[in-house]
Amino acid sequence: MARARATALLLDLDGVLRRFDPAVAAGVEREYGLADGVLTEIAMQWGRLRPVLTGQVSHADWMSSVADALAEPAGGPDRAREAVEQWQRYRGEVDTEVRDLVREVRDGGITVGLATNATDLLDADLAALGLADEVDVVVNSSTLGVHKPAPEYFQAACAALDTPPARVLFVDDEDWAVRGARSAGLSAHRWGGTADLRYLRAALAY
């Protein structure tokens, strides 16, 4: 039996609706004599990342811990803090083609939500990027206390959309998140770039 067409769209933020230019971090690393990729490498260490994604620590505390870890290679704690602050001033860029899709499907009656593993800085980021009013709901792991790909995360997301899982199409650029969504009963698509927009338009009922 064919699956019911989706009536709600659930989008990942980073890697789908927001992009980060890697040249920004690379420039900071060169300026402060840090190894290529070390800012992201330290920040994304799971023992450091998980607490901020589940709301146990703040974004500011997370970045302080990154600066502490970089104190020696940066040439001291003050330089490490300056490097992290400079890196963090860049909050990414909106993929305008994806934003336009969001506007289009909402105009067609589709409920759209953001589903993101994020920190307590998310609301400020969405406002700064002009995205705060572009979606109907925001599902932030640090507010929920649980992160993708846990089934509880997707249950909460579907409840926020007021849509049963079988009628939700989830889009993410990470395989593990897509697999988690499918296990929770959602339709899910691995985002490969704006060439996928045609597929998403065809998959939605509007």
Side-chain angles (χ1 to χ4, degrees), residues 42 48 54 87 91 93 120 122 125 128 133 139 152-153 159 173 175 190 198:
I42 296 295
R48 195 184 309 278
T54 53
W87 173 47
R91 304 310 304 160
E93 303 159 20
D120 61 353
L122 178 62
D125 277 356
D133 297 323
V139 188
E152 297 86 355
Y153 181 94
D173 63 324
D175 276 334
R190 166 74 185 275
R198 182 177 180 181

Side-chain angles (χ1 to χ4, degrees), residues 80-95:
R81 281 193 296 271
E82 289 170 6
V84 170
E85 287 171 4
Q86 183 172 325
W87 173 47
Q88 286 293 293
R89 280 197 287 272
Y90 172 60
R91 304 310 304 160
E93 303 159 20
V94 175
D95 186 317

Side-chain angles (χ1 to χ4, degrees), residues 46-183:
W46 189 236
R48 195 184 309 278
L49 180 63
R50 187 178 186 276
V52 73
L53 294 185
T54 53
Q56 299 172 56
V57 302
S58 68
H59 188 102
D61 288 341
W62 176 42
M63 286 299 109
S64 291
S65 76
V66 173
D68 290 344
L70 291 171
E72 184 173 348
D78 290 343
R79 279 179 55 82
R81 281 193 296 271
E82 289 170 6
V84 170
E85 287 171 4
Q86 183 172 325
W87 173 47
Q88 286 293 293
R89 280 197 287 272
Y90 172 60
R91 304 310 304 160
E93 303 159 20
V94 175
D95 186 317
T96 57
E97 290 186 80
V98 179
R99 183 203 60 202
D100 290 347
L101 172 73
V102 169
R103 291 175 176 176
E104 178 184 322
V105 301
R106 288 182 81 200
D107 286 346
I110 299 290
T111 303
V112 179
L114 278 183
T116 179
N117 286 344
T119 75
D120 61 353
L121 202 62
L122 178 62
D123 288 348
D125 277 356
L126 294 179
L129 293 165
L131 294 174
D133 297 323
E134 296 285 356
V135 297
D136 299 295
V137 298
V138 176
V139 188
N140 181 353
S141 64
S142 64
T143 301
L144 284 178
V146 63
H147 57 78
K148 295 182 290 184
E152 297 86 355
Y153 181 94
F154 291 107
Q155 291 164 7
C158 292
L161 291 167
D162 194 24
T163 306
R167 303 301 296 270
V168 177
L169 174 59
F170 172 68
V171 181
D172 200 291
D173 63 324
E174 297 285 358
D175 276 334
W176 50 262
V178 168
R179 290 195 302 268
R182 288 174 179 163
S183 294

